[in-house]
Amino acid sequence: METPLHLPESESPKSIRQVMNALEKQGLSPRHDKKAWGDWINFGGADTVISIESVRGLSRMATVEPGERDSEDIQDSIIAAFRSLNWYGSDEDGEYQL
C-alpha cells in the first residue's frame, strides 16, 4: 500500500539532498532520478521507490510505493528517515505523525 508523506505548512520545504542524507543515515543506498514527468528515489536491489515532488530542488510531498518482493524493513527505514525530517503521513483519516 502506498504511503503519502508531506511536510506541514508550518515547516520549510526540505531539499532533495536533505532527504537523501536522511535515507543514507538509515543505512539505505538511495539514488535520485530526475525525469521529465517527476522525481524518483530508487534503492539498489529493491523494488520500493519514492515518488517525490521537487520544485527547484525542494520538496514538501512524497509517496512511498512499496515493492511486492521487498521486506518491511526498507519501508520502516524510509519512514524513520522522513520522521527525522519532521514529515507526516496521511490516510483516509487525515494527517498523522510518523
Side-chain angles (χ1 to χ4, degrees):
M1 180 166 75
E2 293 182 351
T3 305
L5 304 171
H6 68 279
L7 272 171
E9 289 298 319
S10 60
E11 294 275 339
S12 298
K14 303 298 182 194
S15 71
I16 295 293
R17 174 62 13 220
Q18 286 174 293
V19 172
M20 298 292 282
N21 287 342
L23 292 164
E24 289 169 354
K25 285 180 183 174
Q26 291 298 317
L28 300 170
S29 299
R31 186 181 78 239
H32 177 222
D33 290 327
K34 185 166 183 63
K35 305 286 186 189
W37 61 87
D39 287 62
W40 296 86
I41 298 174
N42 300 291
F43 303 92
D47 294 328
T48 298
V49 297
I50 301 170
S51 168
I52 189 161
E53 180 183 292
S54 176
V55 178
R56 293 184 305 276
L58 299 174
S59 182
R60 301 188 69 76
M61 298 181 75
T63 302
V64 179
E65 300 177 20
E68 289 181 21
R69 297 178 294 158
D70 294 340
S71 73
E72 288 189 26
D73 293 343
I74 187 169
Q75 293 174 45
D76 292 344
S77 294
I78 291 169
I79 296 302
F82 280 93
R83 181 185 309 119
S84 74
L85 296 172
N86 298 320
W87 286 55
Y88 281 68
S90 59
D91 59 19
E92 62 276 353
D93 295 327
E95 179 178 272
Y96 61 90
Q97 194 167 16
L98 296 174

